Amino acid sequence: MEERILKVEDLKVYFPVKKGILKKTVGYIKAVDGISFDLKPGETIGLVGESGCGKTSTGKALVRLNPIHEGKVYYNGQSLTELKDEEFNKLRPDIQMIFQDPFSSLNPRMTVGEIIGEPLKFHRKNEDVTELVIKYMELTGLRKEYLKRYPHEFSGGQRQRIGIARALALEPKLIIADEPVSALDVSIQAQIINLMMKLQKELNLSYIFIAHDLSVVKHISDRIVVMYLGNVMEISPSKKLYSEPFHPYTKSLIASIPVPEPGKKGKREFLQGEIPSPLNSPVGCKFSTRCKYADDLCKEKRPILEIVEGEHQIACHHWRKINNVE
Ligand SMILES: Nc1ncnc2c1ncn2[C@@H]1O[C@H](COP(=O)(O)OP(=O)(O)OP(=O)(O)O)[C@@H](O)[C@H]1O
Ligand SMILES: [Mg+2]
């Protein structure tokens, strides 16, 4: 049995920039520029970073909604990148994606029953799916009386439950949730996160939970992958990341989480400057233009992800010096 449900190795997702009437490729938007991480069965990885750092592009590449420019993706030891479309289609139910906006991702002309049942009809032809649809509605906290209602009749939180039920109906093993709670009120966010944690235990799911806010992923994640401009900066067990961030970028992300007690002041390191364009990103460390520790080495050479200890990894030339590690 493979101990990793997913392995991502040096994944690159580039979007060509075309110009002129001949539509010549004049450059690439390097949305994801060589990232590596893995996921254990039943584990939750929180994928975080500022807007535009490539989180959605990563998620979509894993389900073939984005082309992979380079790199490898293994699902249960099987190379997804080398699978033909028809072989990949057989695996498709296993890996499901949930999107941020529960409204636009649900067809307004279909009833809840039809929405949840639609993928089932495709994958389980000739079966009466109503019973299954009701099972998944109840599992996600939706009453079966809602079966014939339309998406506009539901609140944001309920709509996200519909989205989750639709994904679950295919009995996936891995769910990529792209900012599933970002569009919801804070009180509702916790309900959906708790629901996802409950479902994970009951159905033995593995999650990639995408968010741009570190506070959102804190409770649900076992490990956190911090991305910046298409690169991974740090991977750390969740607790350690919050208590002892090592990467200068992670330090500033943690510092920007609002402090619950007003008046409490700590040593806070806020981010300076703008995130560079992914069309023309720094040659060396992608964070070098905003990092107060950056020197010539950082500007010239991209740091590779190295192991700090156990499952804690970092991509920074100077992490030892910055954190007083011998
Ligand atoms: N289909 C596309 N064509 C061209 N560029 C794209 C495409 N999709 C994404 N990009 C670019 O790739 C970069 C990464 O985008 P992505 O949506 O993956 O970021 P993100 O981390 O999910 O951001 P957000 O937090 O705002 O959702 C951005 O610069 C974006 O403009
Ligand atoms: Mg996104």
Side-chain angles (χ1 to χ4, degrees):
M1 180 72 184
E2 172 69 34
E3 60 178 313
R4 298 281 186 264
I5 184 167
L6 189 79
K7 255 193 220 166
V8 175
E9 288 177 2
D10 207 23
L11 176 72
K12 294 183 182 169
V13 181
Y14 288 4
F15 298 105
V17 179
K18 298 190 178 207
K19 279 233 170 88
I21 32 169
L22 293 174
K23 297 260 179 245
K24 252 181 93 178
T25 301
V26 291
Y28 287 97
I29 294 174
K30 296 177 176 172
V32 181
D33 201 12
I35 64 164
S36 302
F37 65 92
D38 56 26
L39 184 69
K40 287 175 267 187
E43 190 184 28
T44 300
I45 286 273
L47 190 58
V48 299
E50 284 168 285
S51 182
C53 72
K55 305 178 296 294
T56 300
S57 301
T58 303
K60 284 186 168 175
L62 299 179
V63 293
R64 283 205 185 170
L65 286 174
N66 269 344
I68 290 177
H69 183 76
E70 237 178 78
K72 289 251 155 72
V73 178
Y74 297 93
Y75 173 71
N76 280 330
Q78 193 173 7
S79 169
L80 285 189
T81 21
E82 274 148 39
L83 284 185
K84 292 203 181 75
D85 278 347
E86 74 193 60
E87 290 168 318
F88 185 79
N89 283 340
K90 283 188 206 140
L91 274 180
R92 206 177 273 278
D94 274 25
I95 311 172
Q96 289 297 309
M97 201 157 171
I98 297 172
F99 293 96
Q100 168 175 353
D101 183 351
F103 200 57
S104 64
S105 63
L106 303 176
N107 186 335
R109 285 183 207 88
M110 283 164 81
T111 65
V112 172
E114 287 164 349
I115 289 170
I116 302 171
E118 192 193 29
L120 279 173
K121 274 192 194 139
F122 185 70
H123 287 279
R124 298 188 177 206
K125 285 183 190 117
N126 313 322
E127 272 184 62
D128 179 14
V129 298
T130 313
E131 222 167 281
L132 273 172
V133 168
I134 290 173
K135 174 181 151 189
Y136 287 104
M137 286 178 73
E138 288 178 340
L139 209 55
T140 49
L142 292 162
R143 293 161 55 175
K144 63 177 177 198
E145 294 86 78
Y146 297 163
L147 198 67
K148 298 224 157 59
R149 293 203 189 164
Y150 290 88
H152 73 266
E153 299 175 64
F154 292 91
S155 68
Q158 285 172 323
R159 285 199 288 262
Q160 197 52 287
R161 287 174 196 268
I162 299 169
I164 295 171
R166 176 176 58 179
L168 289 180
L170 290 167
E171 298 182 2
K173 310 266 188 318
L174 167 61
I175 289 188
I176 301 164
D178 190 1
E179 311 233 17
V181 299
S182 302
L184 306 175
D185 288 351
V186 177
S187 59
I188 311 292
Q189 287 187 356
Q191 286 178 16
I192 296 294
I193 288 179
N194 288 339
L195 169 70
M196 287 185 66
M197 289 171 78
K198 175 185 92 103
L199 292 167
Q200 178 170 42
K201 278 212 194 90
E202 287 175 10
L203 304 171
N204 194 24
L205 300 166
S206 307
Y207 287 149
I208 295 177
F209 193 105
I210 298 174
H212 55 256
D213 179 348
L214 265 174
S215 55
V216 168
V217 291
K218 186 171 182 177
H219 296 292
I220 196 170
S221 306
D222 299 299
R223 278 189 297 155
I224 299 205
V225 175
V226 179
M227 275 184 83
Y228 181 83
L229 207 57
N231 278 176
V232 170
M233 299 286 119
E234 187 165 8
I235 301 179
S236 169
S238 181
K239 276 202 190 94
K240 191 168 182 207
L241 191 96
Y242 290 89
S243 61
E244 212 185 344
F246 266 30
H247 198 286
Y249 178 59
T250 320
K251 286 179 196 282
S252 54
L253 278 186
I254 301 271
S256 65
I257 297 177
V259 185
E261 304 116 275
K264 186 183 166 197
K265 280 192 190 125
K267 199 167 156 259
R268 291 157 80 82
E269 301 177 36
F270 289 106
L271 266 184
Q272 309 290 327
E274 292 281 311
I275 191 163
S277 156
L279 235 179
N280 195 8
S281 56
V283 206
C285 173
K286 298 245 187 178
F287 189 55
S288 59
T289 56
R290 294 167 89 188
C291 180
K292 64 177 180 186
Y293 305 102
D295 58 11
D296 287 346
L297 174 66
C298 306
K299 289 185 179 117
E300 283 153 22
K301 192 168 172 240
R302 189 155 305 161
I304 54 160
L305 208 53
E306 54 180 303
I307 295 173
V308 173
E309 181 192 31
E311 293 192 305
H312 188 185
Q313 291 169 279
I314 194 163
C316 172
H317 290 302
H318 303 308
W319 68 269
R320 288 173 198 276
K321 195 173 73 194
I322 294 167
N323 297 287
N324 298 317
V325 175
E326 287 303 309

